[in-house]
Amino acid sequence: MAPSASSSKKDAPVSVPMRLVEPGHDPASAEETTTVTSIGIPRNKPMWENPDLAAIAMSFACLGIAVVVLQRNRAISWRLGFNGQIIVIRFLLSIMQLLTRKIASAAFLILESRSSYGVSVPPLGDFGAFNNSIYYMITSYAPFASATSNLSIPLPDTPTAYGYNTLLLDSQSTAMLDMPTSEYTAKIQEKLQGNDFWTLEATVNATGTRYNTTFDELKKNTEFWEDTISGPGYLYSTLSGDEFSQEYLEGNATLHDGLYCLAGLFTGPRSWIDYNSNITSPDFVSFQSTAMMFNIRRERCSGTWQVNRTAINLLGGMCTGELTDQFILTDRNVRPFWFGALPVWSTPLLTTFTINSEDLLSAWLIPAFTAGIGGGNWARIAEQRFNVMAYWGARVTNELLYPPSDKTITATTATLKVTWPLYLLLAVQPLLALAMLITSTVLYTTPIAKGFGLVSVLSGVDKESLSLISGAGLSGESGRQCLRCLSFMKAMVKGNSFDVCSTVLARMLGHPKVW
């Protein structure tokens, strides 16, 4: 049975009961209802489309014509000759190719709709050093760090994309979007030529990082700090210069709210990279007063990517804040290894934001933290995704590798730029052929037709005059001018004598026509 999108009445509007719920009320207790009339016209999906059947019929018809053209025992192959056969076969192949593309495009889109998205990276090569979380974080975070290194640039008002998966949602949140898998991206790139590109739109999951504005209430809560340090256990720090460092403390994760962490900038002496688990130490106490909280959660987002022959880039997107399964964030195997990840994040951050107080008040400070924290967590998940999927099975696989929803594919290819010189070039041959036809029509009375040739000339030779040129069989020359070799009757063209055949034969003999 064909898939159906609706009822049997094709043109009838559908009345859909909908429940209206006031903000703050429990949807389960709402009793208000209304009726909305749908204006969509549903229809059944046919097994075959008529244009597709016509295309197949025409394709086989072209095949039949090609077979006839190639048959040696038929007069048509003799008349066409080798060059004519090549021209006809090329023409038929081009028609069949166009017809095949028409059917293949729909079939290919259906196959592509079954493709996978997830926590993935673009094709980066098979070299082992290119397949670890540090390198993933560099390739993901570098476009954002480069674009935001100038603090005088104002924050964008709308979600802005950087690189292949970083989406700055607003001044306090960033999302690392799941994307087409590297295998799927590579298959698309194999199909592209020249400047062709595809635009992919889909609703996917993402690793979102948001600044927690309510953290000040917990800063003086000793129990909170003890609970936090009892989990991962270390406050990591990395140094820039002599008195400026970045610090990071990983928090705990829950199934309903994801993971949280604490980070900040510290002015004071530090070693190049250090860790601390003593919450009563002066360094830790100082961190408590300056720390900021960030929440890392898996959530739903939509994104738009452009794929060309060499790269995939995120063009834009948005996130609704709708949470997905947070189970993956509870697995400590996918937590960033901050001894390696922190320098990758802190190097551009501590270069951009100096100890200068004006830099620390910049609107870009929070986005720099959300992008770095999100990039570190995403990169570690991307590196460990196959291991955790093998270990946890479907519980994690459905979150990290899945078919997207609301997917749209737009293919773009380069075409000729339409200008008037191009039209003029195309019109030269038809105009020239028309001019030649008009010339032949005007000179219709001239006694020459398409069959004119040597036979026509010889048919009018006076056999008695052939002795005049005897002996010139090898040399092709005569000792004197040929006065009269033809006995054609002179054609009367508008009252003037005209004998074109004698002129032709005289030139063949190497002499001008003389009467």
Side-chain angles (χ1 to χ4, degrees):
M1 182 180 294
S4 176
S6 69
S7 59
S8 59
K9 284 194 176 181
K10 207 171 173 185
D11 300 328
V14 181
S15 295
V16 183
M18 301 181 64
R19 306 181 71 185
L20 300 182
V21 184
E22 295 295 332
H25 287 75
D26 182 6
S29 62
E31 297 180 355
E32 301 89 335
T33 60
T34 186
T35 300
V36 178
T37 301
S38 172
I39 61 174
I41 301 177
R43 73 181 182 95
N44 292 331
K45 178 182 177 182
M47 182 66 69
W48 298 296
E49 296 281 355
N50 291 333
D52 292 346
L53 296 177
I56 292 176
M58 292 179 62
S59 183
F60 277 96
C62 290
L63 173 62
I65 296 174
V67 171
V68 172
V69 168
L70 293 174
Q71 292 298 313
R72 293 186 177 182
N73 58 350
R74 293 184 179 273
I76 187 172
S77 62
W78 185 87
R79 291 181 180 274
L80 289 174
F82 176 79
N83 291 334
Q85 285 180 310
I86 291 296
I87 293 173
V88 173
I89 293 300
R90 285 181 176 177
F91 175 70
L92 294 174
L93 286 174
S94 64
I95 293 178
M96 289 188 286
Q97 185 178 20
L98 291 174
L99 296 173
T100 302
R101 285 182 178 179
K102 175 177 175 55
I103 301 175
S105 61
F108 186 69
L109 288 177
I110 293 174
L111 292 175
E112 296 303 326
S113 66
R114 301 167 60 88
S115 62
S116 295
Y117 282 52
V119 177
S120 184
V121 293
L124 299 175
D126 298 328
F127 184 50
F130 292 165
N131 293 281
N132 60 70
S133 60
I134 304 302
Y135 189 72
Y136 293 166
M137 185 177 179
I138 292 174
T139 60
S140 176
Y141 182 66
F144 174 85
S146 176
T148 60
S149 59
N150 186 353
L151 299 182
S152 63
I153 300 175
L155 278 173
D157 298 329
T158 58
T160 304
Y162 301 91
Y164 53 80
N165 71 337
T166 303
L167 182 65
L168 179 63
L169 300 174
D170 51 48
S171 62
Q172 297 182 344
S173 55
T174 302
M176 313 300 293
L177 271 61
D178 292 359
M179 58 184 292
T181 61
S182 57
E183 295 81 8
Y184 176 40
T185 302
K187 288 181 180 179
I188 294 176
Q189 291 175 331
E190 291 175 359
K191 303 176 185 297
L192 300 178
Q193 298 180 355
N195 295 324
D196 295 355
F197 63 88
W198 280 22
T199 303
L200 310 177
E201 300 179 34
T203 299
V204 296
N205 299 338
T207 304
T209 304
R210 299 178 184 271
Y211 173 59
N212 192 322
T213 58
T214 64
F215 176 58
D216 288 341
E217 302 173 3
L218 292 174
K219 279 188 175 181
K220 298 180 180 180
N221 189 326
T222 305
E223 183 179 349
F224 165 78
W225 290 103
E226 291 177 348
D227 181 65
T228 301
I229 202 67
S230 65
Y234 297 108
L235 171 65
Y236 296 96
S237 63
T238 185
L239 178 67
S240 174
D242 295 330
E243 298 183 348
F244 196 52
S245 63
Q246 180 186 1
E247 298 176 317
Y248 182 90
L249 175 61
E250 185 177 290
N252 298 312
T254 62
L255 290 175
H256 67 278
D257 197 34
L259 174 69
Y260 73 87
C261 68
L262 301 120
L265 298 176
F266 180 81
T267 55
R270 287 285 191 277
S271 59
W272 165 238
I273 186 165
D274 197 5
Y275 62 93
N276 191 331
S277 61
N278 183 5
I279 64 174
T280 61
S281 67
D283 291 343
F284 206 107
V285 172
S286 176
F287 171 73
Q288 295 178 30
S289 63
T290 60
M292 298 177 288
M293 175 182 277
F294 299 89
N295 294 98
I296 303 102
R297 304 183 181 101
R298 294 286 292 172
E299 56 184 272
R300 294 292 283 174
C301 298
S302 61
T304 302
W305 290 265
Q306 184 182 95
V307 183
N308 56 37
R309 294 182 63 189
T310 59
I312 176 172
N313 295 296
L314 181 64
L315 301 181
M318 62 176 296
C319 297
T320 62
E322 175 189 353
L323 299 185
T324 62
D325 191 352
Q326 307 299 308
F327 179 77
I328 184 63
L329 297 177
T330 65
D331 188 344
R332 294 194 180 277
N333 291 318
V334 299
R335 304 287 177 82
F337 183 63
W338 286 109
F339 272 127
L342 194 59
V344 174
W345 169 32
S346 63
T347 299
L349 187 143
L350 294 176
T351 302
T352 302
F353 299 93
T354 65
I355 198 171
N356 189 328
S357 59
E358 293 183 0
D359 291 348
L360 300 181
L361 296 176
S362 171
W364 284 104
L365 181 62
I366 300 300
F369 272 83
T370 57
I373 294 171
N377 281 273
W378 164 84
R380 182 62 175 174
I381 296 174
E383 180 188 26
Q384 295 294 320
R385 64 190 185 279
F386 297 115
N387 294 332
V388 296
M389 284 192 294
Y391 183 80
W392 293 109
R395 177 67 189 272
V396 169
T397 302
N398 294 337
E399 175 66 22
L400 301 184
L401 188 64
Y402 50 87
S405 58
D406 305 323
K407 180 180 176 182
T408 302
I409 302 175
T410 304
T412 303
T413 187
T415 59
L416 288 175
K417 183 179 180 180
V418 179
T419 58
W420 68 265
L422 177 60
Y423 288 120
L424 180 61
L425 176 64
L426 296 175
V428 167
Q429 294 295 337
L431 291 176
L432 184 60
L434 179 60
M436 296 298 100
L437 180 62
I438 294 175
T439 301
S440 300
T441 303
V442 172
L443 302 177
Y444 173 74
T445 56
T446 301
I448 293 180
K450 290 184 177 180
F452 178 80
L454 183 61
V455 175
S456 301
V457 175
L458 294 178
S459 67
V461 174
D462 184 356
K463 63 181 181 178
E464 296 179 358
S465 65
L466 292 178
S467 60
L468 295 176
I469 56 175
S470 60
L474 296 177
S475 65
E477 299 178 355
S478 60
R480 57 189 178 86
Q481 293 182 340
C482 179
L483 299 179
R484 186 165 184 149
C485 296
L486 299 178
S487 60
F488 275 109
M489 293 184 64
K490 298 176 183 179
M492 302 301 295
V493 181
K494 296 184 178 180
N496 296 323
S497 297
F498 183 77
D499 189 356
V500 77
C501 292
S502 61
T503 301
V504 171
L505 185 58
R507 288 179 177 176
M508 292 171 60
L509 295 174
H511 296 284
K513 170 192 159 187
V514 179
W515 287 97

